[in-house]
Amino acid sequence: MNRELDMTTTTMTTHERFERMYAHREADRVPWKESIWDSTIRRWHREGLPEHTSVIEHFDLDLVAGIGPDTSPRFETRTLDENDEYRTVTTAWGATMRQFKFENTTPEYLDFQVKTPDDWRAAKARMTPSRDRINWKHLEANYGAWRKSGAWISASGWFGFDITHSHFIGTERLLMALVTDPEWVVDMWNHELTLNIALLDMIWDAGYRFDEFTWPDDMGYKHHQFFSLDMYRELLKPVHKRAIDWAHAKGVKTRLHSCGDIRPFIPELTGMGLDALNPIEVKAGMDPFEIKRTAGDALVLHGGINAEVWHETATVEKLIRERVPALMKNGGYIFASDHSVPSAVSFNDFTHIVSVFKEVGTYR
């Protein structure tokens, strides 16, 4: 996998590209790991993407395979109400939410089953590791093909501030608890991580190896963070460090997805050994050039191309030509939008973006 490369003649696998980015070395081209809305894919099928053909296959992009066990309390899931546009449901995490049926938007959270420390203790008792939380049939059917094709295999975690406030107990409730009952909050975060680790250890010990451990933990919004740097250091940083240390003990890379402006936290993250950060949300105030300058020797940057303008092909082409050459220098960069590709982007828009990316993102 670490063979030297004549980049003028050799096409690398996704695994080789990612390995080189994480080693801060150049490859044949920059890898591209993107999140694309389901409604966007449906639009593209109407506009020319062949049915039963993935975006990865059609555009010859990078194949990143995912492994993710069920870490929820397994509350009952029900449909409470439904019409032509919306569906109101209860989730395995105990939330009641209303969401569009055919469009990708942030759901409207209406209620939560876990509201108090006592509610948490009841949920915690349901969050125990068991083999039926893992989709073994999916792994058996696909793992060999992933490895044979040179895919990058990413194991997903589900713990921390973001999922606890947005999916589990509610934003205002968690923000208040950070001040009034931090022991409760830390117990939730640590137990969520403990369950993740136990299940991923089962997968690892069964011979299904993964290349990175990634988890979402949005800690910021536009030009600010949800909590102070001191609060991060005291409460959440030890949980993140435990996750990073666990992955590194296996020789696995770590990648954090955190939307918003989290610039004050970056030295803390690199100090713990975090390997990669996504999505570098420029529309919230993140500056990929500054991060590359100050932390680029230690941190792989993933993203940094404003998702709000991806339907404006001339604008996104300009961004790619301005940003990618600097960000890809000496490796350490994975191309992507600074969140996901919305359904405002047409199939022709995306086709043009791919063409520009492959031109600009190739190492020569």
Side-chain angles (χ1 to χ4, degrees):
M1 291 294 186
N2 290 316
R3 56 182 166 77
E4 288 305 312
L5 173 72
D6 177 358
M7 289 179 287
T8 63
T9 61
T10 303
T11 298
M12 304 185 81
T13 66
T14 293
H15 192 280
E16 289 170 326
R17 289 185 191 117
F18 270 79
E19 270 199 331
R20 283 184 172 254
M21 292 304 106
Y22 274 111
H24 297 269
R25 299 169 64 197
E26 297 184 353
D28 60 338
R29 67 164 173 80
V30 173
W32 186 349
K33 165 70 173 71
E34 189 64 77
S35 175
I36 304 174
W37 294 4
D38 292 340
S39 56
T40 310
I41 301 296
R42 288 195 293 271
R43 173 180 177 170
W44 292 352
H45 281 306
R46 294 193 301 269
E47 295 177 344
L49 178 66
E51 290 292 335
H52 311 298
T53 300
S54 73
V55 174
I56 302 299
E57 293 170 330
H58 184 78
F59 291 107
D60 190 24
L61 300 180
D62 288 283
L63 176 58
V64 178
I67 295 174
D70 172 17
T71 59
S72 75
R74 292 179 157 181
F75 289 127
E76 181 185 8
T77 59
R78 293 180 294 149
T79 298
L80 303 179
D81 185 43
E82 185 173 3
N83 58 34
D84 291 342
E85 200 171 1
Y86 300 98
R87 181 182 292 115
T88 303
V89 300
T90 63
T91 73
W93 285 85
T96 301
M97 68 181 189
R98 180 163 51 221
Q99 59 190 118
F100 281 109
K101 292 173 68 173
F102 304 110
E103 295 296 329
N104 291 90
T105 63
T106 301
E108 179 184 8
Y109 285 92
L110 305 173
D111 200 6
F112 296 91
Q113 190 162 331
V114 176
K115 300 178 181 180
T116 68
D118 285 341
D119 294 338
W120 157 244
R121 282 186 281 272
K124 182 179 181 180
R126 304 170 65 98
M127 296 168 67
T128 57
S130 57
R131 289 183 59 83
D132 64 345
R133 288 179 175 271
I134 297 165
N135 190 340
W136 296 106
K137 289 184 178 179
H138 181 72
L139 287 171
E140 292 165 5
N142 293 284
Y143 181 82
W146 294 339
R147 283 299 182 211
K148 185 176 180 179
S149 65
W152 183 255
I153 300 180
S154 182
S156 298
W158 198 242
F159 63 94
F161 172 79
D162 183 25
I163 69 103
T164 305
H165 87 83
S166 61
H167 294 269
F168 203 7
I169 74 169
T171 303
E172 182 178 353
R173 187 172 293 111
L174 181 58
L175 290 173
M176 292 295 291
L178 285 170
V179 177
T180 62
D181 199 348
E183 292 83 4
W184 171 32
V185 173
V186 171
D187 187 49
M188 286 190 286
W189 292 344
N190 270 312
H191 187 74
E192 290 160 2
L193 175 57
T194 296
L195 180 55
N196 276 265
I197 287 174
L199 294 171
L200 291 174
D201 276 340
M202 284 186 194
I203 292 169
W204 185 273
D205 293 343
Y208 298 106
R209 302 302 167 88
F210 38 89
D211 304 305
E212 74 172 4
F213 177 56
T214 183
W215 73 98
D217 206 347
D218 294 351
M219 298 181 287
Y221 51 99
K222 195 167 185 177
H223 303 307
H224 219 284
Q225 304 78 51
F226 283 106
F227 36 80
S228 70
L229 179 57
D230 285 345
M231 187 169 281
Y232 174 73
R233 286 170 173 160
E234 180 182 356
L235 303 180
L236 186 52
K237 181 178 177 179
V239 183
H240 284 170
K241 185 176 188 305
R242 187 159 71 94
I244 293 167
D245 289 347
W246 167 79
H248 284 176
K250 285 178 155 50
V252 168
K253 301 299 184 182
T254 53
R255 179 168 55 91
L256 168 66
H257 167 95
S258 187
C259 289
D261 182 355
I262 62 163
R263 285 174 293 173
F265 299 160
I266 290 177
E268 307 297 317
L269 295 167
T270 56
M272 289 184 285
L274 181 74
D275 297 294
L277 181 64
N278 164 269
I280 320 296
E281 193 175 5
V282 294
K283 58 186 177 291
M286 296 282 274
D287 183 345
F289 296 119
E290 178 66 11
I291 300 169
K292 180 76 172 181
R293 185 183 68 81
T294 59
D297 289 342
L299 192 65
V300 173
L301 278 63
H302 176 196
I305 309 295
N306 190 348
E308 292 180 324
V309 301
W310 276 54
H311 63 292
E312 302 171 7
T313 54
T315 303
V316 75
E317 177 175 348
K318 183 172 183 287
L319 286 175
I320 291 171
R321 295 189 184 280
E322 288 176 350
R323 292 179 180 231
V324 171
L327 297 175
M328 67 189 277
K329 188 177 181 180
N330 300 320
Y333 180 60
I334 302 167
F335 180 78
S337 69
D338 69 346
H339 192 273
S340 54
V341 180
S343 56
V345 180
S346 72
F347 183 62
N348 285 340
D349 291 337
F350 194 76
T351 300
H352 182 71
I353 291 168
V354 171
S355 175
V356 174
F357 158 73
K358 287 190 174 181
E359 174 198 339
V360 176
T362 297
Y363 289 98
R364 294 176 177 86

